[in-house]
Amino acid sequence: MVSGCLAKIVFSDTKHNYLLHYLAALGVVLLTPVIFGVSRLDERLAAQPLEFFLPLMGAILMPAVFMPEQNESIRDVVRSKKTPYPGVCFMRLLCGAVFITVLTGAFVLYMKSMDSVVTMRLFAGSLASTFALGAAGFFASAVSDNVIVGYMTAVIYYICNFGLKDKLGVFFLFSMTTGSFDEKKWLCILSVVLIAAGFVLRRLFRER
């Protein structure tokens, strides 16, 4: 019963609130081969589009989880429902994660069809960077109750990776382009921590 209600809510959200976000994420994927060469690349060069551009999908989709409730009337309606609000937000986040994974996988297969050296670790590494970038925006959006702040946080984190590699350390998003994959496990941990903390802190300070 609860899962059925969640599915209906998520379907309605997607149709009325997130369609443009999903289309924007798709646009990132379609634009990537226009900006980057994707044919006959070795592993390190193949990492560039997967790390430099595809992670923008996370910045687009994940901070927007709390977007509908920016409208007070919608927030009141959601709170009046029997379906738990954190469950609704988690389903929104899960749908975004699945969409990101599918698009990333499709793009990896496209690169492979163009004779580029793409592997499972490139696929996993790209997802790690995407979710870390998105989780930073998600956390900021959750604790500030402001989606714009979430987007700004994700953008600042993204920009910092172009000039602050040494300062970011294990949280550097573009490590595969330097031949290193060790940072990816830390990005995965960062994503989990930020998402969990975002839900907990929002429940404590915003949803009382």
Side-chain angles (χ1 to χ4, degrees):
M1 180 75 70
V2 174
S3 61
C5 291
L6 285 173
K8 289 180 180 179
I9 291 172
V10 170
F11 177 79
S12 178
D13 275 345
T14 301
K15 181 178 179 180
H16 299 291
N17 299 316
Y18 293 105
L19 184 58
L20 290 178
H21 292 79
Y22 284 117
L23 290 176
L26 177 61
V28 168
V29 176
L30 296 177
L31 190 59
T32 302
V34 176
I35 298 175
F36 297 89
V38 295
S39 63
R40 299 182 179 180
L41 303 177
D42 60 28
E43 189 176 57
R44 186 170 296 190
L45 289 176
Q48 291 183 2
L50 295 174
E51 283 191 318
F52 287 160
F53 211 64
L54 289 192
L56 292 175
M57 290 192 291
I60 291 170
L61 292 177
M62 294 175 68
V65 166
F66 305 108
M67 183 189 68
E69 288 72 41
Q70 298 287 287
N71 185 316
E72 286 294 335
S73 60
I74 294 178
R75 179 176 298 192
D76 292 339
V77 170
V78 171
R79 284 176 171 172
S80 69
K81 301 295 184 181
K82 292 183 178 180
T83 305
Y85 176 62
V88 174
C89 293
F90 180 77
M91 286 297 292
R92 292 171 180 167
L93 187 65
L94 182 62
C95 287
V98 170
F99 192 69
I100 288 169
T101 301
V102 170
L103 289 184
T104 302
F107 188 76
V108 166
L109 291 176
Y110 171 70
M111 291 184 69
K112 193 173 184 65
S113 72
M114 299 296 288
D115 296 324
S116 290
V117 180
V118 284
T119 60
M120 279 302 298
R121 69 175 184 170
L122 285 185
F123 170 65
S126 178
L127 287 179
S129 293
T130 302
F131 291 139
L133 183 62
F138 171 88
F139 176 80
S141 179
V143 299
S144 68
D145 197 27
N146 191 315
V147 174
I148 300 300
V149 173
Y151 283 132
M152 289 177 61
T153 300
V155 169
I156 290 170
Y157 181 27
Y158 179 75
I159 293 174
C160 285
N161 280 269
F162 288 98
L164 299 176
K165 173 187 172 183
D166 295 334
K167 295 186 181 299
L168 290 172
V170 295
F171 301 122
F172 181 53
L173 294 177
F174 308 146
S175 63
M176 291 193 303
T177 59
T178 67
S180 174
F181 291 83
D182 293 338
E183 291 82 355
K184 298 307 178 183
K185 62 183 179 183
W186 293 104
L187 290 179
C188 290
I189 293 171
L190 177 67
S191 300
V192 172
V193 170
L194 288 177
I195 289 171
F199 275 117
V200 170
L201 293 176
R202 184 174 179 85
R203 185 174 181 84
L204 287 176
F205 301 119
R206 298 292 178 182
E207 300 303 325
R208 290 185 292 184

